Amino acid sequence: MIKIVVAGPRGKMGSEALRLIEKTDHFELVGAIDRKHDGMKLKDIKGLPPFDAPVYTSAEQALHELEPDVLIDLTTPDAGYFHTRLAIENRVSPVVGTTGFSQEQLDLLAELAEEKEVGAIIAPNFAVGAVLMMQFAKWAAKYFPDVEIIEKHHDNKLDAPSGTAVKTAELIQEVREEKQQGHPDEKEILQGSRGANVKGMHIHSVRLPGLIAHQEVIFGGTGQTLTIRHDSYHRESFMTGVKLAVEEVGKLNGLVYGLENLLE
């Protein structure tokens, strides 16, 4: 049995994680971290599954008193970083789907996880299809160095570009030589119209109600284009990856960034 604490249980992703735990026999929810409802039971909060687990506003108190094996954090960048660092310091393995961490923060967390000998997983995207999309894009970039990334998310997302888009660009950079795309004399009439520039690649972010999480990577070549696309239409699509991460994180020693590192 894997004992789990969920941070952000009332959020759209957090509540989906609760439903995952509810239907997984070897997962046990021992508590939740929420900025409201301290001392209440989850079952007493409208709209959440009927867990008897307690709610804490203090993450530190929750980790000390409940002694979980895993912390699932699907909150915001600031809260996510705080919770992840606190979990590692308390030798609790974090599974984190929050994006927007800086490289400096990731380096600090990796160093801390190694020092504490704790497994930790941070994944820009827990949808297995999205992970495959990123891997296919890396493969294609060997043959199509001219590429642009368009990511589309709901309008409540706080970071842009998405962690998935940043991770995709990082993977492509591993096989693509830096080059500037488009006409050398290109000029933006409206600043930002060409999106973010990452070593010559362009990333475009769309934020609209009705979207969940979508990304396409468009490659251009002589007389042809190749588009690799993934769409998440429901947040349940991320739970297969969350389940895998929770099951595997206790076997790790140190920080793993990206779900692809857990796939064969």
Side-chain angles (χ1 to χ4, degrees):
M1 190 69 70
I2 301 174
K3 296 163 57 179
I4 302 169
V5 165
V6 172
R10 291 182 296 115
K12 292 178 180 178
M13 284 288 287
S15 59
E16 202 65 52
L18 294 181
R19 285 185 276 274
L20 168 68
I21 296 168
E22 186 179 30
K23 65 184 181 182
T24 306
D25 291 339
H26 57 288
F27 287 1
E28 178 187 1
L29 183 75
V30 295
I33 300 167
D34 187 82
R35 59 187 178 86
K36 298 180 179 179
H37 308 300
D38 187 47
M40 292 180 63
K41 301 286 188 179
L42 274 169
K43 65 183 180 182
D44 298 322
I45 301 175
K46 185 179 179 180
L48 297 185
F51 285 107
D52 200 40
V55 177
Y56 292 77
T57 55
S58 168
E60 188 167 12
Q61 183 183 1
L63 297 180
H64 282 162
E65 293 186 5
L66 300 173
E67 298 182 344
D69 302 306
V70 173
L71 168 71
I72 297 178
D73 186 283
L74 302 164
T75 58
T76 63
D78 289 343
Y81 176 72
F82 173 74
H83 293 154
T84 304
R85 182 163 187 164
L86 188 65
I88 295 172
E89 288 173 344
N90 285 275
R91 290 188 163 85
V92 175
S93 293
V95 169
V96 183
T98 306
T99 61
F101 293 165
S102 68
Q103 189 58 52
E104 182 182 6
Q105 288 175 322
L106 291 172
D107 291 342
L108 287 170
L109 292 171
E111 184 179 336
L112 183 61
E114 185 175 351
E115 176 190 331
K116 296 290 185 179
E117 298 181 341
V118 173
I121 296 173
I122 298 175
N125 199 316
F126 276 112
V128 173
V131 175
L132 292 173
M133 174 265 298
M134 289 187 273
Q135 294 299 311
F136 295 158
K138 178 181 178 180
W139 186 29
K142 295 180 182 179
Y143 309 98
F144 290 88
D146 289 277
V147 53
E148 302 211 4
I149 299 169
I150 303 174
E151 58 93 352
K152 307 173 186 180
H153 283 79
H154 55 89
D155 57 345
N156 288 318
K157 186 170 178 58
L158 296 178
D159 55 316
S162 69
T164 300
V166 172
K167 179 67 174 179
T168 304
E170 291 173 352
L171 291 170
I172 289 174
Q173 286 176 60
E174 293 177 12
V175 299
R176 173 187 179 273
E177 290 188 14
E178 181 176 351
K179 63 170 291 187
Q180 295 301 314
Q181 297 174 181
H183 196 284
D185 297 326
E186 179 182 80
K187 180 181 179 181
E188 289 184 326
I189 304 303
L190 293 176
Q191 187 175 0
S193 57
R194 291 289 287 121
N197 189 317
V198 182
K199 297 187 181 301
M201 283 183 286
H202 292 268
I203 302 178
H204 310 267
S205 296
V206 177
R207 298 290 179 267
L208 287 172
L211 297 172
I212 298 293
H214 316 262
Q215 179 170 293
E216 56 186 68
V217 188
I218 305 173
F219 298 90
T222 303
Q224 61 180 320
T225 61
L226 170 66
T227 300
I228 301 172
R229 175 174 178 142
H230 177 264
D231 298 276
S232 283
Y233 298 108
H234 192 282
R235 289 173 176 83
E236 190 177 3
S237 65
F238 304 113
M239 292 304 112
T240 301
V242 171
K243 181 176 182 289
L244 175 64
V246 170
E247 292 170 337
E248 295 296 321
V249 69
K251 305 173 187 177
L252 302 175
N253 187 355
L255 174 67
V256 165
Y257 182 67
L259 189 66
E260 70 277 4
N261 295 294
L262 302 184
L263 302 179
E264 294 182 0

